[in-house]
Each structure stands twice: as C-alpha cells, then as structure tokens.
Amino acid sequence: MQTMMPPGGSKARSQALAELSVLQHQLLTAEKTGQLLEQAQQESLDDTDRANLLEMRRHYDNAVLVPEWLVEAKSLAGARCEHAWRSQRPANDWPGFADNLREVVKLSREEAQIRAQAAGSSRYDALLNLFEPGMRSSDLERIFGDLKTWLPDLLQKVVAKQAQQPCLMPQGPFDVDTQRKLSLSVMKLLGFNFDAGRVDVSAHPFCGGVPEDVRITTRYNDQEFLTALLGIVHETGHARYEQNLPRDWLGQPIAQARSTAIHESQSLLFEMQLARSSDFLKILRPLVVAQFGDQPALEEGNFIRLNQRVKPGLIRVDADEVSYPAHVILRYEIEKALIEGDIEVNDIPALWNEKMQQYLGLDTVGDYRNGCMQDIHWTDGAFGYFPTYTLGAMYAAQLFATIGNALPNLSDDIARGDLSALFHWLQQHIWRHGSRYPTETLIVNATGESLNPHYFRQHLENRYL
C-alpha cells in the first residue's frame, strides 16, 4: 500500500483494511475471549506464561472499550487522510488536508473520551497509554519541562562553536540507484537479515511487517545522500529489533516489541548513538567513497563534521539530535491540546509557527508542506506517538552509556567495523525479552536504573561541546 499500490487502488484497499480491522476487533472482543482469559487467570502458570497472559489481557481490555463502528470509521478516515496527504503535501494544500484531518481528530477524540472514562484519566493520557503503557502527560511535563530549561542554551552554544569550524558540502548529483547500493551495504554492516526483510521507497520512511518479513523504506534525493542514508540506519535499528524478537513466542503478545519508546530507542541508538559517532563515521566513509568516488567533502575530518553538524531546520526526520527534541515537544504540545479540545484543526498552522519560532527560531508561515503537513502520524490518528521519539532518544543514551561501561573495547570495536559485541549485548538485554517485562523493569534490568534523562544531556554535551 505504501510502496507499490497504484493511486486508484486506495479506496478498495482502505475498505478491505477497514473490514479486516472490524473482523479482528470482533474476534478479540468476543464474549468467549473474555471467558477464556478469566479461566486462564485461575490456572497455575509460570512467570513467562503469566507475563504473556498479562499482555493478552491488556490488549483485550484496550480493544473491548471501543465499539465496532468506531474501529471501522477510524480505519477508513485514516486511510483516506493518509492517501490524500501524499498529493496534498507536495501541493502545499492545507485546506484540503485539514478537511480530512478534522474527521480523524473527531474520531480520535471520541476514542480518547471512551478510554479516559474507563481509566479515570485525561483524554490524552488514555491515548498515550496505547503507545507507552504507564506513561502519563504529567511525566512528560516533568521530563520535557527539564529539557526546555537547558536545551535552547546548549543548541546556541553548539551552533556558535560549529560556526568556527568550516564544513564542505558534498557535490552531487547522487544517482538514486547508487544510493540504494550504499543503503544495502550499510544495512549489511548493521546486521540486517535480508532473508527476512527488504528495503523499498515510500513517501515517508518507516519500518513494518513481522519478525520473519520486516520491510523498511526510505526516500531518496539525488541532490544529497545523507538524509536517505541516515533514514536507512534509523529504520534498520527498528528492523534489527523486530528480527530478533523471541522466536519461541512468535504470534503471542509477549513476542511483540515492548513499547513505542523502546522501539524508538533501538532506531535512535543505531542512528544517533552509533552512526553519528566518530568511530562509526570512519568506517562508513569508505563505503560512501566506494559508491560516489572521493571528493574534498568526503575527507575524513570533514565527513565527521558533516554528520555531526547541528543546524535547526524545518523537517523533523532530517533534524540533528540536538534540535530534534524541540520538534517532538512542539508536536506533543499541539496534539495534546488538540485531543483535549483546547484547540481545533484550524488553529494548528499558527500555533505550529509560533512554537517553531520559540523553539528553533524558524518561520513556517504559509509553508504547510515543510510545517504542519510534513509528518504522517496524525493522518491515521496516532495521537500520543510523538513523545516516544524523545523518550526513545533518552533510553538510547542510557543504554549506550551502560553498554560502554560493560564493553570497555566498544570504541575500538566500532572503529574496526566489528559490531558483534554491541549487537550481542542488545540481543541479551533488550531484543530477546520482547514484552516479557514492563518498560521500566526492562530498563532497570538492562541499565540498573529507571529512565534517567541525565544520560541524554551528558551525551549531547560530550559529543558537541
């Protein structure tokens, strides 16, 4: 649907997916399912079975709250909004996009209200819980509130420092087929299993599928290659997690990824902690030169500066890791207000521009394509997703710091292109556990403490100052 389907197939595919969503919902929420879960609660189970049953119950309890008509309506509205977005975004057509988005927001609010009443929570917290179980907006306010006290100053210092360090830009064009070959070589270096996945092109990079068949995508630009390449690294991080989930439990909830933030921690560990490190960039550079030939901008020192460049920009997926959290906080604040009913869809562009000015000093007036229409997440009602990107970045920093302590030779290993010890650690402490443990337990077991944003700040200061 995202990579190969012709535009004319959208309506039929959307209807088919909506029907499947309803059938799946009927099976999951059937009275018999509830009875079986109740019976299973009474059985004598080992710890693993008990954890699996808890996940089953969580999925069931989440599903049984929502009526069939809403499941179908959300599926259809989301598909319609996403498909139209593909042509509306290049056309900078905010009025057309807003018409579809209003219906998505209306249905998302209805779902949020139903879930909030059952949970005794706010509407936004009810949706956030679907992506990051146990997380509340009060936690986000604390974490993001602290971030906002030091990130703007850090950003200014880094930009000022780097202004004194000249950096040459690679001269294109860069053939798309050659970029694809580079992508494949980097995926191989990162351990992607090509017998259980592939890479394609889509309007927005993503990772999807099942552990036995993981599909990732990127988007290419023949004027520059780094955006697509780092997109590949990011999605390969997602894919390696999926490909290494516990095989003995495939098809069971316990074999699924723990949460969206943990998933993002893996992609951001690959993209930011690993791929933007000087050690990794030294082994990445020869792969780039092998495809595009050498030029002054690809000299080792310049290549490292190029990939560690901090420059506030309009596009989230292209953002450096210092300015990236500002993009996430902006979206979180807008989507929370939208779901709670404090603002309406028509208010988004002005609020977006106000926050871009406040957090990144950038103007988006009239530029919807590179402003509030740039992302795909709101098109299908994934409200509550965006905060997990920065939570994931924080988990990634904490995990990588722990790995560095556990593997004293990690830096030398990376510089030699030997990533086996790093991947083995991730497999032992994160990947193989799937949803066996709650997020906090998983992180405490892996690092010795709960989420600690200090590691993220320390990482940024160490690398950029």
Side-chain angles (χ1 to χ4, degrees):
M1 184 174 183
Q2 298 284 348
T3 63
M4 300 289 286
M5 190 184 74
S10 176
K11 185 175 181 181
R13 180 64 63 87
S14 298
Q15 290 170 339
L17 287 174
E19 185 170 1
L20 285 170
S21 296
V22 171
L23 291 171
Q24 182 185 40
H25 186 264
Q26 288 173 346
L27 287 168
L28 181 55
T29 61
E31 186 178 349
K32 180 66 173 175
T33 307
Q35 292 171 353
L36 289 169
L37 287 169
E38 289 297 330
Q39 291 170 21
Q41 294 283 150
Q42 312 309 315
E43 294 182 22
S44 177
L45 304 173
D46 62 26
D47 288 345
T48 303
D49 283 335
R50 179 66 60 186
N52 204 21
L53 182 58
L54 278 172
E55 281 299 291
M56 290 180 189
R57 186 84 216 190
R58 184 172 70 84
H59 286 288
Y60 173 80
D61 289 343
N62 278 333
V64 78
L65 291 172
V66 185
E68 277 179 30
W69 72 264
L70 185 52
V71 172
E72 182 178 28
K74 271 201 75 181
S75 179
L76 287 169
R80 183 167 56 249
C81 189
E82 187 277 327
H83 184 75
W85 168 85
R86 298 188 209 179
S87 57
Q88 288 165 343
R89 186 192 174 211
N92 204 39
D93 179 12
W94 167 255
F97 178 69
D99 282 345
N100 289 326
L101 185 61
R102 281 189 198 93
E103 182 65 15
V104 173
V105 170
K106 173 176 168 287
L107 295 170
S108 297
R109 285 173 173 172
E110 292 192 42
E111 178 186 356
Q113 183 60 34
I114 293 169
R115 296 190 181 284
Q117 285 181 333
S121 70
S122 71
R123 292 200 294 196
Y124 186 77
D125 280 356
L127 297 185
L128 176 63
N129 190 60
L130 296 175
F131 296 99
E132 201 57 27
M135 182 66 65
R136 291 183 172 272
S137 51
S138 57
D139 301 317
L140 296 177
E141 296 293 343
R142 173 177 52 80
I143 294 168
F144 291 167
D146 174 69
L147 196 59
K148 288 196 289 186
T149 64
W150 58 264
L151 188 66
D153 183 55
L154 175 66
L155 183 57
Q156 284 187 351
K157 286 181 179 177
V158 175
V159 170
K161 178 186 177 185
Q162 292 189 350
Q164 309 305 312
Q165 304 166 338
C167 185
L168 298 174
M169 298 302 295
Q171 298 302 303
F174 301 96
D175 178 71
V176 168
D177 286 340
T178 306
Q179 288 193 57
R180 177 176 164 78
K181 291 174 185 174
L182 175 60
S183 297
L184 294 173
S185 65
V186 173
M187 289 167 68
K188 182 179 179 181
L189 174 64
L190 294 173
F192 185 88
N193 179 5
F194 288 96
D195 289 332
R198 58 178 284 131
V199 60
D200 289 284
V201 175
S202 68
H204 192 92
F206 70 87
C207 172
V210 292
E212 308 97 316
D213 182 9
V214 179
R215 308 296 180 94
I216 72 171
T217 69
T218 191
R219 55 190 179 198
Y220 296 107
N221 175 356
D222 65 5
Q223 295 307 303
E224 63 93 20
F225 66 90
L226 286 174
T227 299
L229 182 58
L230 288 168
I232 282 287
V233 174
H234 180 99
E235 302 306 336
T236 300
H238 281 305
R240 289 300 314 277
Y241 183 25
E242 286 289 330
Q243 289 180 338
N244 287 276
L245 288 168
R247 291 302 173 109
D248 291 345
W249 290 89
L250 284 182
Q252 299 289 330
I254 200 175
Q256 295 176 3
R258 172 59 270 173
S259 71
T260 315
I262 294 299
H263 227 310
E264 292 303 335
S265 78
Q266 300 310 288
S267 60
L268 291 169
L269 187 147
F270 272 55
E271 180 190 4
M272 301 300 188
Q273 300 291 324
L274 175 61
R276 290 186 193 263
S277 71
S278 298
D279 294 324
F280 186 86
L281 291 169
K282 288 175 183 177
I283 61 168
L284 177 62
R285 191 188 78 88
L287 299 180
V288 173
V289 171
Q291 295 298 335
F292 298 122
D294 210 349
Q295 58 173 279
L298 299 182
E299 177 273 326
E300 185 176 276
N302 192 81
F303 186 68
I304 291 172
R305 288 193 296 275
L306 187 65
N307 283 278
Q308 294 180 353
R309 208 67 179 168
V310 173
K311 183 181 180 182
L314 297 175
I315 304 298
R316 175 186 62 84
V317 296
D318 300 344
D320 60 83
E321 60 181 330
V322 181
S323 61
Y324 192 99
H327 288 270
V328 172
I329 293 171
L330 175 151
R331 286 155 173 79
Y332 158 66
E333 291 175 346
I334 292 176
E335 71 175 16
K336 181 186 175 191
L338 197 59
I339 291 301
E340 297 292 358
D342 298 328
I343 64 170
E344 297 300 332
V345 168
N346 284 351
D347 299 320
I348 293 175
L351 198 53
W352 188 285
N353 184 62
E354 177 188 319
K355 291 181 179 295
M356 283 296 283
Q357 292 273 16
Q358 179 185 350
Y359 298 150
L360 293 170
L362 299 173
D363 190 327
T364 60
V365 172
D367 187 3
Y368 310 111
R369 177 179 54 200
N370 295 313
C372 54
M373 286 179 66
Q374 66 181 265
D375 287 308
I376 201 171
H377 301 65
W378 288 345
T379 63
D380 64 355
F383 298 102
Y385 188 115
F386 275 119
T388 64
Y389 283 115
T390 289
L391 293 174
M394 291 177 172
Y395 283 129
Q398 188 166 330
L399 287 168
F400 209 75
T402 304
I403 296 168
N405 290 331
L407 305 175
N409 298 320
L410 179 62
S411 180
D412 293 337
D413 289 346
I414 294 172
R416 291 199 321 272
D418 181 3
L419 307 178
S420 57
L422 169 63
F423 296 151
H424 178 73
W425 191 97
L426 288 169
Q427 204 278 334
Q428 291 298 305
H429 293 88
I430 301 294
W431 298 344
R432 73 185 181 97
H433 296 297
S435 285
R436 170 73 177 79
Y437 303 108
T439 301
E440 183 172 15
T441 305
L442 180 71
I443 290 299
V444 169
N445 288 348
T447 70
E449 58 183 308
S450 302
L451 175 62
N452 185 346
H454 164 74
Y455 291 100
F456 182 59
R457 180 176 183 175
Q458 185 178 58
H459 159 69
L460 295 181
E461 290 176 344
N462 288 346
R463 175 172 288 176
Y464 294 100
L465 292 181

